[in-house]
Amino acid sequence: MSAATEGPVGILRGGVRVRSSARGIAERSSLVLAFVGAFVFFSVARPNSFLTWDNARAILDDASVLCVLAAGVTVILVIGEFDLSVGFVAGLAGAAGVSVMAFHGWGAGAAVAVALGAGAVAGLASGIAVAHVRIPSFIATLAVGSIAAAIELAITKTAIFEGLSSSYLQIATTRLWTIPLRAIIAVAVTLAFLVLLRATVFGRHAASIGDNPAAARLTGVPVERVRLLAFMLAGLAAGLAAVLVTSSAGQYYPNLGTGYLLPAYAAAFLGLSLGGGLRFNILGSYIGVLLLATVTTGLTMMNQPSWLAALVQGVVLLVAVGGVAVRRRGTVGR
């Protein structure tokens, strides 16, 4: 037999069968196919309301907060860790940013800086706990999340803050070329994180840590520093998400970020299927967010109960994680 022969199920090269079946192609494009399928289904079911440019803009705008949070979560997953604090950190950042306007009369720029700073500090605390104290990320980020929730409560005492400055509200109301500014910010953050993970030394180091932290350390990768920066980036993303939420709502309200944790992870795990590489990636997370937003909007237009969207998100996360586990077992032959 020659070194390379073709058959109906694959190609043999040096005795190793390389499968190029329709199943493999479907796996590599399953996320895109799911998004297209959902879009087509709701377009047929509600053509007059779903299949409009106004609805497309609304979906992009509504998905902006989750896009930013999912980008931060994806960075943590790339290094092989979890951050369960991002929802609580977003609540703390929102409370901190809005309170300086409500209590001290600070401007919009200062409020945004305070929100981002609060998120970064919370991310730094998680990073120190995980990278230097060596506390497992599940426990460390749960603890930081609890502390963030306590500080949020101390700042706000469960009050709802209104009377935000008009320039702060313009973050949510401004449109560029008819596209909401929040959607543009989400795309910009997605692109920035995409470049960071794909075209920088930090991105290569993060991927190597996620693959094998011990081997990465032996090759000279500054594991602790990369982990610390990753958690700070997730904290910054949570802070920015809080700005987008509060500017849209026109107020601060308690626990504003807790409902975003599950869909952020669902989107990130959905993104694993993009390209078939079984690696977390920013572009896949972004498409995963759009899929979840499309399904949620479509269900709302079909007058389905609100709890159904949360049920779908939970099922999607379970199916995505289960699918990854099955594919990884197949990859290693177990």
Side-chain angles (χ1 to χ4, degrees):
M1 182 179 293
S2 62
T5 61
E6 296 189 10
V9 294
I11 302 172
L12 286 176
R13 288 193 180 94
V16 178
R17 186 175 299 279
V18 181
R19 299 189 180 277
S20 55
S21 62
R23 175 184 174 184
I25 296 173
E27 287 180 347
R28 290 191 294 272
S29 56
S30 58
L31 177 58
V32 176
L33 291 174
F35 175 73
V36 172
F39 185 85
V40 171
F41 173 79
F42 291 117
S43 297
V44 173
R46 290 290 186 272
N48 295 329
S49 54
F50 185 86
L51 198 59
T52 64
W53 175 234
D54 286 340
N55 182 56
R57 285 184 300 198
I59 289 176
L60 291 173
D61 188 36
D62 292 341
S64 59
V65 176
L66 188 54
C67 285
V68 172
L69 268 182
V73 164
T74 302
V75 174
I76 300 300
L77 291 171
V78 166
I79 65 170
E81 304 288 353
F82 283 87
D83 189 347
L84 303 182
S85 71
V86 287
F88 300 105
V89 172
L92 169 62
V98 173
S99 65
V100 297
M101 283 189 288
F103 294 159
H104 305 292
W106 291 16
V112 171
V114 168
L116 294 178
V121 170
L124 176 64
S126 294
I128 291 174
V130 173
H132 295 284
V133 186
R134 305 293 178 86
I135 301 174
S137 58
F138 274 105
I139 304 301
T141 56
L142 276 176
V144 170
S146 178
I147 294 170
I151 297 174
E152 176 189 355
L153 180 61
I155 294 173
T156 65
K157 298 178 176 60
T158 69
I160 295 176
F161 299 160
E162 296 179 336
L164 280 64
S165 69
S166 58
S167 55
Y168 191 84
L169 298 178
Q170 285 175 0
I171 297 173
T173 59
T174 299
R175 291 188 177 187
L176 300 177
W177 308 288
T178 75
I179 301 175
L181 178 60
R182 294 203 313 166
I184 295 174
I185 291 173
V187 171
V189 170
T190 300
L191 292 176
F193 276 65
L194 179 66
V195 172
L196 181 68
L197 289 178
R198 287 194 176 185
T200 67
V201 173
F202 170 84
R204 292 191 292 273
H205 285 173
S208 65
I209 292 171
D211 289 339
N212 191 326
R217 192 186 304 276
L218 290 175
T219 58
V221 173
V223 175
E224 287 77 14
R225 186 194 311 166
V226 172
R227 283 175 171 161
L228 190 66
L229 288 174
F231 279 99
M232 287 188 67
L233 287 171
L236 279 171
L240 179 57
V243 171
L244 299 182
V245 171
T246 52
S247 64
S248 177
Q251 62 184 13
Y252 160 83
Y253 54 90
N255 303 316
L256 63 86
T258 53
Y260 291 100
L261 179 65
L262 174 61
Y265 275 95
F269 275 92
L270 279 171
L272 275 174
S273 63
L274 188 66
L278 290 177
R279 287 180 178 273
F280 293 101
N281 62 93
I282 296 295
L283 183 58
S285 297
Y286 182 76
I287 298 176
V289 169
L290 293 184
L291 172 60
L292 294 177
T294 299
V295 171
T296 301
T297 301
L299 291 174
T300 301
M301 288 184 173
M302 296 180 69
N303 298 318
Q304 297 300 315
S306 58
W307 56 262
L308 188 58
L311 176 64
V312 169
Q313 291 170 0
V315 171
V316 164
L317 179 57
L318 187 62
V319 172
V321 175
V324 170
V326 170
R327 291 172 61 193
R328 280 182 171 164
R329 284 201 300 270
T331 300
V332 299
R334 290 188 293 176

PDB file of all heavy atoms in Angstrom, residues 117-143:
ATOM      1  N   GLY A 117     -12.263  50.743  37.606  1.00  0.00           N
ATOM      2  CA  GLY A 117     -11.286  50.532  38.661  1.00  0.00           C
ATOM      3  C   GLY A 117     -11.764  49.519  39.685  1.00  0.00           C
ATOM      4  O   GLY A 117     -10.994  48.657  40.134  1.00  0.00           O
ATOM      5  N   ALA A 118     -13.052  49.599  40.051  1.00  0.00           N
ATOM      6  CA  ALA A 118     -13.595  48.631  41.011  1.00  0.00           C
ATOM      7  C   ALA A 118     -13.534  47.215  40.447  1.00  0.00           C
ATOM      8  O   ALA A 118     -13.192  46.260  41.154  1.00  0.00           O
ATOM      9  CB  ALA A 118     -15.032  49.009  41.369  1.00  0.00           C
ATOM     10  N   GLY A 119     -13.860  47.078  39.160  1.00  0.00           N
ATOM     11  CA  GLY A 119     -13.780  45.762  38.538  1.00  0.00           C
ATOM     12  C   GLY A 119     -12.356  45.235  38.493  1.00  0.00           C
ATOM     13  O   GLY A 119     -12.110  44.050  38.777  1.00  0.00           O
ATOM     14  N   ALA A 120     -11.416  46.115  38.163  1.00  0.00           N
ATOM     15  CA  ALA A 120     -10.013  45.693  38.089  1.00  0.00           C
ATOM     16  C   ALA A 120      -9.479  45.282  39.452  1.00  0.00           C
ATOM     17  O   ALA A 120      -8.739  44.290  39.571  1.00  0.00           O
ATOM     18  CB  ALA A 120      -9.171  46.824  37.500  1.00  0.00           C
ATOM     19  N   VAL A 121      -9.843  46.019  40.498  1.00  0.00           N
ATOM     20  CA  VAL A 121      -9.380  45.680  41.850  1.00  0.00           C
ATOM     21  C   VAL A 121      -9.944  44.332  42.293  1.00  0.00           C
ATOM     22  O   VAL A 121      -9.228  43.504  42.878  1.00  0.00           O
ATOM     23  CB  VAL A 121      -9.771  46.794  42.842  1.00  0.00           C
ATOM     24  CG1 VAL A 121      -9.521  46.340  44.281  1.00  0.00           C
ATOM     25  CG2 VAL A 121      -8.984  48.065  42.551  1.00  0.00           C
ATOM     26  N   ALA A 122     -11.222  44.101  42.004  1.00  0.00           N
ATOM     27  CA  ALA A 122     -11.815  42.809  42.347  1.00  0.00           C
ATOM     28  C   ALA A 122     -11.131  41.681  41.569  1.00  0.00           C
ATOM     29  O   ALA A 122     -10.860  40.597  42.120  1.00  0.00           O
ATOM     30  CB  ALA A 122     -13.311  42.820  42.057  1.00  0.00           C
ATOM     31  N   GLY A 123     -10.845  41.925  40.277  1.00  0.00           N
ATOM     32  CA  GLY A 123     -10.119  40.929  39.495  1.00  0.00           C
ATOM     33  C   GLY A 123      -8.724  40.688  40.034  1.00  0.00           C
ATOM     34  O   GLY A 123      -8.235  39.550  40.058  1.00  0.00           O
ATOM     35  N   LEU A 124      -8.076  41.762  40.481  1.00  0.00           N
ATOM     36  CA  LEU A 124      -6.747  41.631  41.088  1.00  0.00           C
ATOM     37  C   LEU A 124      -6.803  40.760  42.331  1.00  0.00           C
ATOM     38  O   LEU A 124      -5.922  39.909  42.552  1.00  0.00           O
ATOM     39  CB  LEU A 124      -6.207  43.018  41.422  1.00  0.00           C
ATOM     40  CG  LEU A 124      -4.862  43.069  42.157  1.00  0.00           C
ATOM     41  CD1 LEU A 124      -3.743  42.501  41.285  1.00  0.00           C
ATOM     42  CD2 LEU A 124      -4.542  44.504  42.569  1.00  0.00           C
ATOM     43  N   ALA A 125      -7.846  40.954  43.150  1.00  0.00           N
ATOM     44  CA  ALA A 125      -7.982  40.137  44.364  1.00  0.00           C
ATOM     45  C   ALA A 125      -8.140  38.661  44.013  1.00  0.00           C
ATOM     46  O   ALA A 125      -7.502  37.789  44.631  1.00  0.00           O
ATOM     47  CB  ALA A 125      -9.185  40.621  45.175  1.00  0.00           C
ATOM     48  N   SER A 126      -8.950  38.365  43.011  1.00  0.00           N
ATOM     49  CA  SER A 126      -9.106  36.974  42.576  1.00  0.00           C
ATOM     50  C   SER A 126      -7.800  36.421  42.032  1.00  0.00           C
ATOM     51  O   SER A 126      -7.424  35.274  42.300  1.00  0.00           O
ATOM     52  CB  SER A 126     -10.204  36.872  41.509  1.00  0.00           C
ATOM     53  OG  SER A 126     -11.469  37.180  42.023  1.00  0.00           O
ATOM     54  N   GLY A 127      -7.104  37.252  41.243  1.00  0.00           N
ATOM     55  CA  GLY A 127      -5.843  36.813  40.662  1.00  0.00           C
ATOM     56  C   GLY A 127      -4.791  36.499  41.714  1.00  0.00           C
ATOM     57  O   GLY A 127      -4.064  35.498  41.606  1.00  0.00           O
ATOM     58  N   ILE A 128      -4.702  37.332  42.732  1.00  0.00           N
ATOM     59  CA  ILE A 128      -3.735  37.081  43.811  1.00  0.00           C
ATOM     60  C   ILE A 128      -4.091  35.792  44.542  1.00  0.00           C
ATOM     61  O   ILE A 128      -3.223  34.961  44.846  1.00  0.00           O
ATOM     62  CB  ILE A 128      -3.709  38.273  44.787  1.00  0.00           C
ATOM     63  CG1 ILE A 128      -3.082  39.500  44.105  1.00  0.00           C
ATOM     64  CG2 ILE A 128      -2.924  37.923  46.050  1.00  0.00           C
ATOM     65  CD1 ILE A 128      -3.155  40.767  44.936  1.00  0.00           C
ATOM     66  N   ALA A 129      -5.388  35.612  44.826  1.00  0.00           N
ATOM     67  CA  ALA A 129      -5.815  34.417  45.550  1.00  0.00           C
ATOM     68  C   ALA A 129      -5.510  33.147  44.766  1.00  0.00           C
ATOM     69  O   ALA A 129      -5.074  32.136  45.333  1.00  0.00           O
ATOM     70  CB  ALA A 129      -7.313  34.500  45.865  1.00  0.00           C
ATOM     71  N   VAL A 130      -5.714  33.191  43.441  1.00  0.00           N
ATOM     72  CA  VAL A 130      -5.512  31.997  42.619  1.00  0.00           C
ATOM     73  C   VAL A 130      -4.043  31.804  42.268  1.00  0.00           C
ATOM     74  O   VAL A 130      -3.501  30.700  42.400  1.00  0.00           O
ATOM     75  CB  VAL A 130      -6.371  32.083  41.335  1.00  0.00           C
ATOM     76  CG1 VAL A 130      -6.045  30.924  40.389  1.00  0.00           C
ATOM     77  CG2 VAL A 130      -7.847  32.092  41.673  1.00  0.00           C
ATOM     78  N   ALA A 131      -3.389  32.875  41.818  1.00  0.00           N
ATOM     79  CA  ALA A 131      -2.027  32.745  41.287  1.00  0.00           C
ATOM     80  C   ALA A 131      -0.978  32.649  42.373  1.00  0.00           C
ATOM     81  O   ALA A 131      -0.004  31.889  42.233  1.00  0.00           O
ATOM     82  CB  ALA A 131      -1.722  33.927  40.367  1.00  0.00           C
ATOM     83  N   HIS A 132      -1.118  33.388  43.450  1.00  0.00           N
ATOM     84  CA  HIS A 132      -0.058  33.457  44.456  1.00  0.00           C
ATOM     85  C   HIS A 132      -0.384  32.682  45.725  1.00  0.00           C
ATOM     86  O   HIS A 132       0.494  32.019  46.293  1.00  0.00           O
ATOM     87  CB  HIS A 132       0.238  34.918  44.787  1.00  0.00           C
ATOM     88  CG  HIS A 132       0.804  35.695  43.641  1.00  0.00           C
ATOM     89  ND1 HIS A 132       2.118  35.565  43.236  1.00  0.00           N
ATOM     90  CD2 HIS A 132       0.235  36.585  42.790  1.00  0.00           C
ATOM     91  CE1 HIS A 132       2.336  36.358  42.184  1.00  0.00           C
ATOM     92  NE2 HIS A 132       1.205  36.982  41.896  1.00  0.00           N
ATOM     93  N   VAL A 133      -1.637  32.751  46.174  1.00  0.00           N
ATOM     94  CA  VAL A 133      -2.008  31.996  47.369  1.00  0.00           C
ATOM     95  C   VAL A 133      -2.337  30.546  47.013  1.00  0.00           C
ATOM     96  O   VAL A 133      -2.365  29.670  47.880  1.00  0.00           O
ATOM     97  CB  VAL A 133      -3.186  32.685  48.085  1.00  0.00           C
ATOM     98  CG1 VAL A 133      -3.489  32.004  49.418  1.00  0.00           C
ATOM     99  CG2 VAL A 133      -2.885  34.160  48.322  1.00  0.00           C
ATOM    100  N   ARG A 134      -2.589  30.305  45.722  1.00  0.00           N
ATOM    101  CA  ARG A 134      -2.868  28.964  45.191  1.00  0.00           C
ATOM    102  C   ARG A 134      -4.201  28.397  45.709  1.00  0.00           C
ATOM    103  O   ARG A 134      -4.337  27.183  45.903  1.00  0.00           O
ATOM    104  CB  ARG A 134      -1.735  27.981  45.521  1.00  0.00           C
ATOM    105  CG  ARG A 134      -0.355  28.436  45.074  1.00  0.00           C
ATOM    106  CD  ARG A 134      -0.252  28.478  43.565  1.00  0.00           C
ATOM    107  NE  ARG A 134       1.054  28.969  43.129  1.00  0.00           N
ATOM    108  CZ  ARG A 134       2.130  28.210  42.976  1.00  0.00           C
ATOM    109  NH1 ARG A 134       2.054  26.920  43.236  1.00  0.00           N
ATOM    110  NH2 ARG A 134       3.258  28.735  42.568  1.00  0.00           N
ATOM    111  N   ILE A 135      -5.186  29.258  45.901  1.00  0.00           N
ATOM    112  CA  ILE A 135      -6.524  28.805  46.239  1.00  0.00           C
ATOM    113  C   ILE A 135      -7.218  28.386  44.946  1.00  0.00           C
ATOM    114  O   ILE A 135      -7.130  29.089  43.935  1.00  0.00           O
ATOM    115  CB  ILE A 135      -7.329  29.921  46.929  1.00  0.00           C
ATOM    116  CG1 ILE A 135      -6.622  30.371  48.210  1.00  0.00           C
ATOM    117  CG2 ILE A 135      -8.753  29.464  47.230  1.00  0.00           C
ATOM    118  CD1 ILE A 135      -7.287  31.561  48.875  1.00  0.00           C
ATOM    119  N   PRO A 136      -7.907  27.251  44.908  1.00  0.00           N
ATOM    120  CA  PRO A 136      -8.628  26.864  43.689  1.00  0.00           C
ATOM    121  C   PRO A 136      -9.568  27.974  43.235  1.00  0.00           C
ATOM    122  O   PRO A 136     -10.227  28.629  44.047  1.00  0.00           O
ATOM    123  CB  PRO A 136      -9.400  25.602  44.121  1.00  0.00           C
ATOM    124  CG  PRO A 136      -8.596  25.047  45.248  1.00  0.00           C
ATOM    125  CD  PRO A 136      -8.024  26.227  45.964  1.00  0.00           C
ATOM    126  N   SER A 137      -9.646  28.161  41.925  1.00  0.00           N
ATOM    127  CA  SER A 137     -10.376  29.305  41.391  1.00  0.00           C
ATOM    128  C   SER A 137     -11.861  29.272  41.753  1.00  0.00           C
ATOM    129  O   SER A 137     -12.476  30.324  41.944  1.00  0.00           O
ATOM    130  CB  SER A 137     -10.206  29.373  39.871  1.00  0.00           C
ATOM    131  OG  SER A 137     -10.656  28.184  39.242  1.00  0.00           O
ATOM    132  N   PHE A 138     -12.455  28.083  41.859  1.00  0.00           N
ATOM    133  CA  PHE A 138     -13.859  28.000  42.267  1.00  0.00           C
ATOM    134  C   PHE A 138     -14.057  28.670  43.624  1.00  0.00           C
ATOM    135  O   PHE A 138     -14.951  29.507  43.806  1.00  0.00           O
ATOM    136  CB  PHE A 138     -14.310  26.533  42.347  1.00  0.00           C
ATOM    137  CG  PHE A 138     -14.785  25.959  41.054  1.00  0.00           C
ATOM    138  CD1 PHE A 138     -13.997  25.077  40.341  1.00  0.00           C
ATOM    139  CD2 PHE A 138     -16.024  26.307  40.535  1.00  0.00           C
ATOM    140  CE1 PHE A 138     -14.427  24.543  39.136  1.00  0.00           C
ATOM    141  CE2 PHE A 138     -16.467  25.779  39.332  1.00  0.00           C
ATOM    142  CZ  PHE A 138     -15.661  24.891  38.634  1.00  0.00           C
ATOM    143  N   ILE A 139     -13.224  28.283  44.587  1.00  0.00           N
ATOM    144  CA  ILE A 139     -13.370  28.791  45.947  1.00  0.00           C
ATOM    145  C   ILE A 139     -12.980  30.259  46.021  1.00  0.00           C
ATOM    146  O   ILE A 139     -13.681  31.076  46.636  1.00  0.00           O
ATOM    147  CB  ILE A 139     -12.502  27.970  46.920  1.00  0.00           C
ATOM    148  CG1 ILE A 139     -12.852  26.479  46.824  1.00  0.00           C
ATOM    149  CG2 ILE A 139     -12.670  28.472  48.344  1.00  0.00           C
ATOM    150  CD1 ILE A 139     -14.295  26.174  47.128  1.00  0.00           C
ATOM    151  N   ALA A 140     -11.859  30.603  45.388  1.00  0.00           N
ATOM    152  CA  ALA A 140     -11.361  31.983  45.468  1.00  0.00           C
ATOM    153  C   ALA A 140     -12.348  32.972  44.878  1.00  0.00           C
ATOM    154  O   ALA A 140     -12.650  34.016  45.472  1.00  0.00           O
ATOM    155  CB  ALA A 140     -10.016  32.080  44.752  1.00  0.00           C
ATOM    156  N   THR A 141     -12.879  32.654  43.709  1.00  0.00           N
ATOM    157  CA  THR A 141     -13.771  33.613  43.055  1.00  0.00           C
ATOM    158  C   THR A 141     -15.145  33.650  43.723  1.00  0.00           C
ATOM    159  O   THR A 141     -15.807  34.695  43.723  1.00  0.00           O
ATOM    160  CB  THR A 141     -13.912  33.295  41.559  1.00  0.00           C
ATOM    161  OG1 THR A 141     -14.363  31.939  41.385  1.00  0.00           O
ATOM    162  CG2 THR A 141     -12.580  33.466  40.851  1.00  0.00           C
ATOM    163  N   LEU A 142     -15.590  32.542  44.307  1.00  0.00           N
ATOM    164  CA  LEU A 142     -16.822  32.579  45.099  1.00  0.00           C
ATOM    165  C   LEU A 142     -16.651  33.496  46.305  1.00  0.00           C
ATOM    166  O   LEU A 142     -17.551  34.271  46.657  1.00  0.00           O
ATOM    167  CB  LEU A 142     -17.208  31.174  45.554  1.00  0.00           C
ATOM    168  CG  LEU A 142     -18.006  30.319  44.571  1.00  0.00           C
ATOM    169  CD1 LEU A 142     -18.228  28.925  45.143  1.00  0.00           C
ATOM    170  CD2 LEU A 142     -19.343  30.967  44.237  1.00  0.00           C
ATOM    171  N   ALA A 143     -15.478  33.402  46.946  1.00  0.00           N
ATOM    172  CA  ALA A 143     -15.203  34.254  48.102  1.00  0.00           C
ATOM    173  C   ALA A 143     -15.134  35.721  47.698  1.00  0.00           C
ATOM    174  O   ALA A 143     -15.726  36.590  48.352  1.00  0.00           O
ATOM    175  CB  ALA A 143     -13.893  33.828  48.764  1.00  0.00           C
TER     176      ALA A 143
END
